Amino acid sequence: SAVISQKPSRDICQRGTSLTIQCQVDSQVTMMFWYRQQPGQSLTLIATANQGSEATYESGFVIDKFPISRPNLTFSTLTVSNMSPEDSSIYLCSVEGAGTASDIADTQYFGPGTRLTVL
Amino acid sequence: AQSVTQPDIHITVSEGASLELRCNYSYGATPYLFWYVQSPGQGLQLLLKYFSGDTLVQGIKGFEAEFKRSQSSFNLRKPSVHWSDAAEYFCAVGAREYGNKLVFGAGTILRVKS
């Protein structure tokens, strides 16, 4: 499986500011996703990061709040804009491999997550 | 709408005892099914997955899961639990028809007592 890294691993931010989270993969992947895990909760998909085009957002998430970039097949960023304490969560990126190899196709692998606290 | 139910929020088992974590799903397409584990402060690690074929699938760390279409279930099992298995376990469902986007259950926190 791919090796996925996220930066930063954690951060404490003031309300009203923005934070950009980076997700880097050590190989080219077809799909990249961003999830949010609020305290004590399960994971909720924010958006699918599309290479070279605008991300596809899930219901309840908007581009102005969570702008996403994906300039190539190994890198994506998620920005949490104009933060409030309710944005305190773990943000995880995941990737899905290309091709038909059974160990990577149609299977998402997750990065270590970014733990965000907003004061 | 797609949904995944993990009815047990917490489970406590003794070390060496057997384990079964329940997962039921409601999905409008042929599902791909996954179990992930999350240790405190960590990301998610894939334990196993089911796409098709043999309904009993083997995963890492001695885990297995059985897909039962008639019951819309994908329960996770382990014959003998180790203290290091204490973590949170998530069942997830996806499908190509929905862009492989995963829907997660609420998770089950496993505690292991010695």
Side-chain angles (χ1 to χ4, degrees):
Chain A
S1 62
V3 176
I4 308 161
S5 60
Q6 284 186 233
K7 290 182 181 179
S9 59
R10 60 177 62 230
D11 208 340
I12 301 173
C13 301
Q14 297 298 317
R15 69 170 67 214
T17 63
S18 299
L19 176 72
T20 296
I21 302 167
Q22 299 179 3
C23 179
Q24 178 75 55
V25 194
D26 69 342
S27 59
Q28 292 185 344
V29 293
T30 50
M31 307 290 286
M32 296 182 79
F33 303 88
W34 287 97
Y35 289 83
R36 180 176 72 182
Q37 186 178 24
Q38 294 176 299
Q41 303 292 317
S42 185
L43 283 79
T44 302
L45 180 65
I46 298 172
T48 303
N50 301 309
Q51 193 266 326
S53 64
E54 196 169 283
T56 304
Y57 290 84
E58 297 301 303
S59 176
F61 297 97
V62 296
I63 188 171
D64 289 346
K65 177 67 175 177
F66 297 102
I68 288 170
S69 77
R70 189 177 172 194
N72 55 52
L73 293 176
T74 64
F75 185 78
S76 178
T77 66
L78 168 75
T79 299
V80 186
S81 302
N82 188 25
M83 288 184 285
S84 67
E86 293 69 37
D87 294 319
S88 297
S89 298
I90 300 173
Y91 292 87
L92 299 104
C93 73
S94 72
V95 305
E96 186 180 301
T100 58
S102 62
D103 62 334
I104 57 172
D106 298 315
T107 300
Q108 289 184 35
Y109 294 91
F110 284 80
T114 296
R115 184 179 295 271
L116 171 62
T117 301
V118 184
L119 302 177
Chain B
Q2 299 86 6
S3 67
V4 178
T5 301
Q6 293 180 245
D8 304 304
I9 298 174
H10 296 96
I11 282 186
T12 300
V13 300
S14 298
E15 191 169 16
S18 63
L19 171 70
E20 183 169 28
L21 302 182
R22 295 182 290 166
C23 174
N24 292 94
Y25 65 91
S26 173
Y27 212 67
T30 302
Y32 297 158
L33 296 155
F34 306 85
W35 276 99
Y36 290 88
V37 60
Q38 186 178 37
S39 298
Q42 304 292 314
L44 270 69
Q45 182 181 23
L46 178 69
L47 283 176
L48 48 76
K49 60 187 178 184
Y50 173 80
F51 288 173
S52 65
D54 192 346
T55 57
L56 184 64
V57 293
Q58 303 296 319
I60 62 172
K61 305 184 180 186
F63 285 92
E64 66 178 26
E66 185 171 13
F67 171 59
K68 293 185 177 180
R69 185 184 302 275
S70 62
Q71 298 177 21
S72 297
S73 69
F74 189 56
N75 293 347
L76 181 71
R77 301 194 294 249
K78 186 169 184 178
S80 177
V81 169
H82 188 262
W83 64 266
S84 61
D85 293 325
E88 188 161 16
Y89 292 79
F90 292 96
C91 179
V93 179
R96 283 189 178 181
E97 291 90 330
Y98 298 118
N100 284 346
K101 294 182 288 187
L102 293 180
V103 176
F104 281 83
T108 298
I109 296 172
L110 172 65
R111 299 188 177 116
V112 180
K113 59 181 181 180
S114 56

